[in-house]
Structures are given as structure tokens and as C-alpha cells.
Amino acid sequence: MLDFTFYSPTEFVFGHNTESKTGALALQYGAKKVLIVYGGGSAVRSGLLDRVKKSLDANGIEHCEMGGVQANPTDKKVYEGIETARREQIDFIIAVGGGSVIDTAKSIACGVTYDGDFWDFFIGKEKVSEALPVGVVLTIPAAGSEGSGNAVITNETTKQKLGIKQPMTLRPKFAIMNPELTMTLPAWQTASGICDMMVHILERYFTNTPNTEISDRMCEGVLTAIINEGRKVMQNPNDYDARANIMWSGMVAHNGTCGVGCEEDWSGHQMEHEISALYNVTHGAGLAVVTPAYMEFMSKHNPKRIAQFAQRVFNVTPDFGTEEDIALEGVKLFRQFLHDDLKLPITLEDLLPNLSRNEIEEAISEFVKRLHKNKGEQFGLFYPITPDVSTEIYKLALKK
Amino acid sequence: MLDFTFYSPTEFVFGHNTESKTGALALQYGAKKVLIVYGGGSAVRSGLLDRVKKSLDANGIEHCEMGGVQANPTDKKVYEGIETARREQIDFIIAVGGGSVIDTAKSIACGVTYDGDFWDFFIGKEKVSEALPVGVVLTIPAAGSEGSGNAVITNETTKQKLGIKQPMTLRPKFAIMNPELTMTLPAWQTASGICDMMVHILERYFTNTPNTEISDRMCEGVLTAIINEGRKVMQNPNDYDARANIMWSGMVAHNGTCGVGCEEDWSGHQMEHEISALYNVTHGAGLAVVTPAYMEFMSKHNPKRIAQFAQRVFNVTPDFGTEEDIALEGVKLFRQFLHDDLKLPITLEDLLPNLSRNEIEEAISEFVKRLHKNKGEQFGLFYPITPDVSTEIYKLALKK
């Protein structure tokens, strides 16, 4: 087990009607004037935004707002938010939405207090030393951004989709998590979120660090819970308890609870980011295509952890065959879950239905080119990802 | 799943030589003059105390100290610490030790800032509204006090062993966890700690709250890890990775990570407290006697969760028999682990070897009397504990 620091100071307030506590929590964390960041119209139509504002009013907290954040959020809304926050002399930001909204809010939070261009943080030119405090009212369990210090933003000009990890400055002060708010999510979004949170765990689980039993068992436990409750949620979207289990799993998957003491990789996420940056696909759906392909490749080249996943999460028995056989069977069962239960695409053809086979092959060349431009000729800790390897993995995501 | 708040703002710094960061962390959290609280001579003999002081000196932090805290810590040392802290105008307390030392430090921390008697908090007369900040250098993985807002103190006069739970005020600011520091622990103390952390999970796991899948799977995962790594540690006390897995498990078992959304019970702990309050036995060893007896009783009266534990943690197969049979088999295997692997007592006779059979039966009457005096005629959420029930459970802890 490697040395590590675990620091997750967010106050999570979970359960029925908890959005009514937004104002009291914002007050507790010192808010005087809040910028509310949100996405499309659903937060407005459902009345959620009004309830949040009412709660702020009741606690004497001023507020203004910025809507219109979209999936795969871009730098444009961040610049807009920074300008608004400065003009309105905001001292606290509340994100009402899912990962895209929260990541935009975090990026505004560190951009406001920085003299230069916030994008400097994302290209590694500067480190975040301070940020406005952020609170969250979560509506989509997926990204886990409500409990992490991470944010991912796409630069509209350069088409780079890049992330930052600043656990000491960008973790939300509080996160309000009411599973009822997730009941009206479209099945597609619920499913993509479930895949996203599973992969957040797998990216930590696919490690070469030995003797990480406590982390392994927690990862496997959370993955098992997500599969069981994910099936329930897909069958009955109004199942409060299943929604609650999924919502909490999404947080646990990404706040650092899983993966302590492991060298983490995240190659799969990086390979997906190239797809969603260019084609604006839903991140979780992109992962449903890329991650099993990555695992299929690793079943031949570094099978140990994939085989352990197969045995402990999908109950493949040790007598099934070689370590590679066991690993590949796990990948097959994982793909079945994604396809049959979650109704997600598991091939590039299904993910990008408007492209011909030829165009998909050209797209793969482009993904590989951009991936290694962003990450270097060789990257990856679990297995070295060279252009040959990434090409093979993207090709394993083609229809067989 | 029930509504809940999860708030664990402690900064955990884990790994080799991390005690050298004590001063830097104390400084980060605003310490100017520290009271170091510790236990017996081992922290002195090992040089740990000197390393902690050196680290404080290097960061320009003044310090004084109070040693001599013993297992099942008493109010006496708390009063002494409060007096010292006031006299020396302490603004930060650092506990160097295990649960007894940390609980004493927390009790001093809330006693210093309170005009009345700190015991008021323990008998429920007052709530903790403020406390000095506390930091921890952990040497015994067991109580999980490094990540919790709880403390347990025994009143020497009344012989009451009572606990407080103040997660918003008494969670340590930081906890330094170096597994190397635990390698010299006597096997008895290692084993008692392992039992204690397992029971911290079981007290949350034995719940009637339905549909707590994510909590269940995390509890079962951590229990499995503790059993596997516990066996390794007992066989090879110098196995760093096994020590590390156990050390982190002890924290996770008690900071609220396990058991979210469950109605918790803690009847087993309450029944043990009566034994250690009167006979000063090691808490974890007392639990090794009481908890399986509690589970044996529940196997007949509320078997569902005991049977689930048997199947998922000790791999009892569903075809083993009735739910009661499966549950009882799980209890048998748990007792085997405690006795054969951890070398802990599993009967009252083994726990209290100086008492005759008659004296033990008299002691049971005394435990029952005191238990219900402290907790009421009937208590317990998982199953109502009346004097008849508690008597039967204590008797199930007798040699068969």
C-alpha cells in the first residue's frame, strides 16, 4: 500500500427534501451573496431552482444566477460566470445540477480569485491556491464532483477536454443530495451516470500496487451495490431506495473513499475524453464503449486485476479457465450489464451512429493523435499506452 | 435508506514516517501552544514522543505534556488535563496513542472551553458547542477515535463508562497514521483492536433499516478485509502492508463511512461497557465475548442480518439450512476466527479468569442491573433489550 492523504471535508446532507436546507447551509459556511449556476430548463420546470432561491431568501442571502450550462461543459460558460461573479461581488457559488454544472461552478470559483486566465490551471501552467467556496444541490448521480476536488472543462477553441484535481481547494463545502430529485432523469442519463461511477472505481482498481486489500474490498463492494441497485433503478425509476443507493455510490466512487493507497491510472477516462471532446457524446456512454475495450486489451496484457474483478464482482469461478479466460469472461459480463441492463452503447458504431465505418476508422486515428498530443507519446501506469496500444484499444471498441 | 448527514472533515495523513509532519499539520490548523497527551511509557521508549516534539519545535510551536493515560480512561486524567490546558493557555491538543488517549484528549478539548463539569456532556446534561482543536498521532488501530467525533470515559467514582457523539465539534483536525508505529504492539492488543473495529462495523450492520445495499456491501467488504489482513498480521507482526490495511480499516470502521442511512444499535457495545467498567478488561477482548453471544441470541430472534453476515463474510452457502442455521454457523465461524486466529477469549470464564463460576453469575446480575440503570428498562433498536434478554445474552457468553 502506498502512502496517501485522504481529506474529504464536504458536509453531505442526504435524503428527502434536503434542498430546503440550502440557505441554512450556505449561511453556515459564510455566504452573503451567491451565484447560482445551473444547466438546462429542468431545474426551472421542476421548481427546484425556486425552492433553492426561497431557502436562500429565508436565510437573508442575496443571489443572482447563471443558467445554460450544457453537458461536456465549455470554457465559455466559465468566462461568463467569472465575469458575473466579479461584477456582482459574489462570495459563494451554488451549483444546482450534475457534474457539468458543478465543474463549471468550481472553475468559476478558482477563476474569480485569479488574475490570469482560468485555463492556466487546466494546462498545468498554474496551481489553484485559492477559490470561492462552492456548495452543491445534486440532481444527477454520475460524476461524483459533489465530493471531489476535480473538474473537467472543454476548451471550445482548442477542443481540449482537460481536468484539474485540487482536493485542498475545490472540494464543495456542502453537498445536498436528495434522491427524489433524480427520479425524473431520462433512463439514458441514469444509465450513463451509473456507468460513469463504476468506471471511477475501476480507474482506481486497475492498479499495479500490491496488497491493497481494504481498498480492493471497498471497490468491489461498491461496484456490486451499483450493479444490483442499477438494475432496480432501470426497472423502476421511482424506487426511492434504489435511487438513494445509486446516488450515494456515485459520491463514494469519486471522493477518494475507494482506491486509497493505490497508484491510480485513469487511461480509460483519457481515451474517452477524446471522443466526447470531438463528438460531444455523453461521457458515461463513451466510457461504456471505451472501458470494456481497455479491459479486453488488459485481459491479455495485464490480466490480474481484470480477473479479480471478474471473480469478485461478476462471480466468475476460479475453475473457469486461465487468468486471461476469467478476465475476458468478466469483460463479457460487464458488457452484458452495460448493454442489456443499462441499454448503453458498447461499440463505437452504436456510440457514433451518424458515422460510416470509414469515418469511424478515421476518427480513431484522430483520437489517437489528439490523445498522445495531450498526454505524451507514452502514458499510463497500469500499462504503458503508446499510439499502437491506444489504436488497438479503440479498435477493440468496434463491432465484432 | 434513512436520511443522514455524513461529515468527516479530518485530514488523514497515512504512511511511512508521517509523524514527522505533526508540526507542519498543527501549524496549518492554527496551533500556537500544544498539550501533548499520551499513555504509558512506550511512546517515550520508542522515541515517538521525541520525534513529535522535534517536529513541533521545528515549526515554532510551544508544547507541554500529560502522560499516564491508561486503558479504559477515566475522568481523573481529563480533570488533570483541563487544569493543565487552562494553566498553560493551550490552544491545541495532540493525542499520541490509541483510543484511550484520543478520547481523553477530546474530553479535555471540550472541557477546557466549558464553565461547568465536563462530565455534564457524558450524562447528557449539556451538549458540546465548542472545543479546542485536536490532532492525533495514532499508535493503536482499534477504537477509530482518530476519525470519529466520539469519546468514551469511565467515571472513577460512579463506575459509569459512558460515551459522547459530537461529530461537528470533536472530530480531529488531522490524524497521522503510520503503520510502522503499530508493529511493536503486543499480539493481545493487536487482536483486541481487530475485534473492536469489526464490532464497530457490526453495530451499524445489525439494523432493521431495509434497502441499505451500498452500506451493506461496504460493511461486508471492510469486514472481509479485516479478517484476511488480521490473519496476516497475527502471523507476521512486521508485515507493513497488512498493518497498513488493518490501520486504515480501523478508521473506516468508525468515521461513518460504513452504516450510512442505517438505524444503528450499539447494544453490544453497551453490554461490554458494563464489563470493562467493573473489571477493567480490554474493550476489544470484552467485545469478543459479548458480540458473538449477542449474535447467537439474534440468530433465533432476528436472524436476517446475522445470516447475511454469515453468507457474505464467512461464505456460508444458502443450502446450509434455515436462516437460523445459517446465522448460527456464521456465529460459530466468527468465534473460531476470534479464538483460533486472534487468540482472544470468547467466554466470560476466559475473560475473567480470576472469578469462580459463582462469582461470574453474580457478576452477570450486576452487569444487567447496571446496564438497565444506565440505558433504561428496555433499549436497543435492532431488538428490544430487556433485563431478561440481556441476562440471556450474558449467559450465552458462558462456556458451553
Side-chain angles (χ1 to χ4, degrees), chain A residues 1 3-9 11-12 14-16 211 213-214 217 221 224 228-229 241 245 248-249 260, chain B residues 1 3-9 11-12 14-16 168 211 213-214 217 221 228-229 241 245 248-249 260:
Chain A
M1 195 190 281
D3 296 351
F4 64 89
T5 292
F6 177 76
Y7 180 54
S8 172
E11 183 174 348
F12 299 99
F14 191 100
H16 302 81
N211 304 321
E213 172 77 358
I214 177 63
R217 295 290 175 179
T224 303
N228 292 340
E229 299 298 304
D241 282 319
N245 278 293
W248 190 245
S249 298
V260 288
Chain B
M1 196 191 279
D3 296 350
F4 64 89
T5 292
F6 177 76
Y7 180 54
S8 172
E11 183 173 348
F12 299 99
F14 191 100
H16 301 80
M168 301 309 270
N211 304 320
E213 173 76 0
I214 177 64
R217 295 289 175 179
N228 292 339
E229 299 299 304
D241 282 319
N245 278 293
W248 190 245
S249 298
V260 289

Side-chain angles (χ1 to χ4, degrees), chain B residues 147-164:
Chain B
S148 81
N150 303 8
V152 177
I153 296 289
T154 299
N155 185 312
E156 284 194 25
T157 316
T158 66
K159 290 279 176 199
Q160 285 173 297
K161 184 173 182 176
L162 297 177
I164 50 170

Side-chain angles (χ1 to χ4, degrees), chain A residues 1-18 21 28-29 168 173 210-215 217-218 220-222 224-226 228-229 232 239-242 244-246 248-249 251-252 255 257-258 260, chain B residues 1-18 21 28-29 168 173 210-215 217-218 220-222 224-226 228-229 232 239-242 244-246 248-249 251-252 255 257-258 260:
Chain A
M1 195 190 281
L2 303 181
D3 296 351
F4 64 89
T5 292
F6 177 76
Y7 180 54
S8 172
T10 306
E11 183 174 348
F12 299 99
V13 179
F14 191 100
H16 302 81
N17 196 33
T18 40
K21 298 181 182 170
Q28 178 186 319
Y29 288 100
M168 299 310 271
K173 296 293 172 199
N211 304 321
T212 54
E213 172 77 358
I214 177 63
S215 177
R217 295 290 175 179
M218 291 178 82
E220 291 150 4
V222 180
T224 303
I226 294 173
N228 292 340
E229 299 298 304
K232 284 192 204 170
D239 181 339
Y240 175 87
D241 282 319
N245 278 293
I246 287 293
W248 190 245
S249 298
M251 194 294 288
V252 166
N255 86 322
T257 299
C258 297
V260 288
Chain B
M1 196 191 279
L2 303 181
D3 296 350
F4 64 89
T5 292
F6 177 76
Y7 180 54
S8 172
T10 306
E11 183 173 348
F12 299 99
V13 179
F14 191 100
H16 301 80
N17 195 33
T18 40
K21 297 180 183 169
Q28 179 187 320
Y29 288 99
M168 301 309 270
K173 295 295 171 198
N211 304 320
T212 54
E213 173 76 0
I214 177 64
S215 177
R217 295 289 175 179
M218 290 178 83
E220 291 150 5
V222 180
T224 303
I226 294 172
N228 292 339
E229 299 299 304
K232 284 193 203 168
D239 180 338
Y240 175 87
D241 282 319
N245 278 293
I246 286 294
W248 190 245
S249 298
M251 194 294 288
V252 166
N255 85 322
T257 299
C258 297
V260 289

Side-chain angles (χ1 to χ4, degrees), chain A residues 39 80 142 148 152-153 171 213 264 283 294 336 339 358 360 363:
Chain A
E80 183 189 329
S148 81
V152 177
I153 297 290
R171 299 226 194 221
E213 172 77 358
E264 298 179 17
H283 174 53
Y294 175 85
Q336 271 176 14
H339 183 268
N358 261 355
I360 287 181

Side-chain angles (χ1 to χ4, degrees), chain A residues 17-310:
Chain A
N17 196 33
T18 40
E19 64 272 20
S20 66
K21 298 181 182 170
T22 311
L25 281 161
L27 195 67
Q28 178 186 319
Y29 288 100
K32 291 198 181 77
K33 187 162 184 186
V34 163
L35 172 65
I36 305 172
V37 179
Y38 64 98
S42 68
V44 180
R45 285 192 304 277
S46 68
L48 174 61
L49 207 65
D50 274 343
R51 294 203 297 284
V52 167
K53 288 186 205 168
K54 213 173 126 186
S55 173
L56 292 170
D57 290 339
N59 286 276
I61 297 170
E62 285 186 87
H63 48 86
C64 60
E65 62 192 68
M66 179 188 81
V69 175
Q70 294 184 328
N72 296 316
T74 69
D75 54 337
K76 203 176 140 197
K77 294 303 285 188
V78 178
Y79 291 119
E80 183 189 329
I82 292 172
E83 202 189 307
T84 307
R86 284 180 181 156
R87 187 181 63 238
E88 300 285 339
Q89 297 189 290
I90 292 301
D91 60 15
F92 202 99
I93 303 180
I94 292 181
V96 180
S100 300
V101 170
I102 305 169
D103 287 6
T104 301
K106 288 176 180 172
S107 305
I108 296 168
C110 60
V112 170
T113 54
Y114 176 59
D115 283 339
D117 182 350
F118 90 95
W119 192 247
D120 290 349
F121 300 130
F122 287 75
I123 55 173
K125 198 175 144 192
E126 279 291 334
K127 282 198 171 171
V128 177
S129 60
E130 56 171 337
L132 290 186
V134 172
V136 170
V137 180
L138 186 66
T139 61
I140 309 174
S145 189
E146 67 277 12
S148 81
N150 303 5
V152 177
I153 297 290
T154 299
N155 185 311
E156 284 194 24
T157 316
T158 65
K159 291 277 176 202
Q160 284 172 298
K161 183 174 183 177
L162 298 177
I164 50 171
K165 187 176 178 178
Q166 302 284 342
M168 299 310 271
T169 44
L170 288 186
R171 299 226 194 221
K173 296 293 172 199
F174 64 83
I176 286 170
M177 302 171 74
N178 176 359
E180 294 171 309
L181 299 178
T182 70
M183 286 187 185
T184 51
L185 282 175
W188 164 261
Q189 218 161 9
T190 299
S192 299
I194 290 169
C195 180
D196 193 14
M197 60 184 76
M198 288 185 78
V199 179
H200 285 161
I201 301 170
L202 292 174
E203 298 278 13
R204 294 170 161 92
Y205 186 77
F206 297 148
T207 181
N208 296 320
T209 310
N211 304 321
T212 54
E213 172 77 358
I214 177 63
S215 177
D216 289 8
R217 295 290 175 179
M218 291 178 82
C219 288
E220 291 150 4
V222 180
L223 286 166
T224 303
I226 294 173
I227 291 168
N228 292 340
E229 299 298 304
R231 285 193 177 117
K232 284 192 204 170
V233 159
M234 295 308 290
Q235 279 161 22
N236 179 8
N238 293 319
D239 181 339
Y240 175 87
D241 282 319
R243 288 281 186 191
N245 278 293
I246 287 293
M247 196 173 206
W248 190 245
S249 298
M251 194 294 288
V252 166
H254 207 35
N255 86 322
T257 299
C258 297
V260 288
C262 298
E263 187 181 62
E264 298 179 17
D265 191 308
W266 297 91
S267 299
H269 258 68
Q270 282 145 2
M271 294 187 68
E272 193 290 323
H273 281 174
E274 300 307 330
I275 306 179
S276 49
L278 282 180
Y279 292 98
N280 201 27
V281 299
T282 306
H283 174 53
L287 290 171
V289 173
V290 168
T291 308
Y294 175 85
M295 291 164 70
E296 188 179 338
F297 178 90
M298 294 307 160
S299 296
K300 288 182 197 298
H301 299 277
N302 192 9
K304 191 178 163 209
R305 304 290 291 181
I306 323 291
Q308 184 176 313
F309 164 82

Side-chain angles (χ1 to χ4, degrees), chain B residues 103-285:
Chain B
D103 287 6
T104 301
K106 287 177 180 173
S107 304
I108 296 168
C110 61
V112 170
T113 54
Y114 176 60
D115 281 340
D117 181 351
F118 89 96
W119 192 246
D120 290 350
F121 301 131
F122 287 75
I123 55 172
K125 198 175 145 190
E126 279 291 333
K127 281 198 172 174
V128 177
S129 60
E130 56 172 336
L132 290 187
V134 172
V136 171
V137 179
L138 186 66
T139 61
I140 309 175
S145 188
E146 66 277 12
S148 81
N150 303 8
V152 177
I153 296 289
T154 299
N155 185 312
E156 284 194 25
T157 316
T158 66
K159 290 279 176 199
Q160 285 173 297
K161 184 173 182 176
L162 297 177
I164 50 170
K165 186 176 178 178
Q166 302 286 344
M168 301 309 270
T169 43
L170 287 187
R171 297 223 196 225
K173 295 295 171 198
F174 65 82
I176 287 170
M177 301 170 74
N178 176 0
E180 294 171 309
L181 300 179
T182 71
M183 286 187 185
T184 50
L185 282 174
W188 164 261
Q189 216 160 11
T190 299
S192 299
I194 290 169
C195 180
D196 193 14
M197 60 183 78
M198 288 185 78
V199 179
H200 285 161
I201 301 171
L202 292 174
E203 298 277 13
R204 295 168 161 93
Y205 186 77
F206 297 148
T207 181
N208 297 319
T209 309
N211 304 320
T212 54
E213 173 76 0
I214 177 64
S215 177
D216 288 7
R217 295 289 175 179
M218 290 178 83
C219 288
E220 291 150 5
V222 180
L223 286 166
T224 303
I226 294 172
I227 291 168
N228 292 339
E229 299 299 304
R231 285 192 177 119
K232 284 193 203 168
V233 160
M234 295 307 291
Q235 279 161 22
N236 179 9
N238 292 320
D239 180 338
Y240 175 87
D241 282 319
R243 288 282 186 190
N245 278 293
I246 286 294
M247 196 174 207
W248 190 245
S249 298
M251 194 294 288
V252 166
H254 207 36
N255 85 322
T257 299
C258 297
V260 289
C262 299
E263 188 181 63
E264 300 178 16
D265 191 306
W266 296 91
S267 299
H269 258 68
Q270 282 145 3
M271 294 186 67
E272 193 289 321
H273 281 175
E274 299 308 329
I275 306 178
S276 48
L278 282 180
Y279 292 98
N280 200 28
V281 300
T282 305
H283 174 53

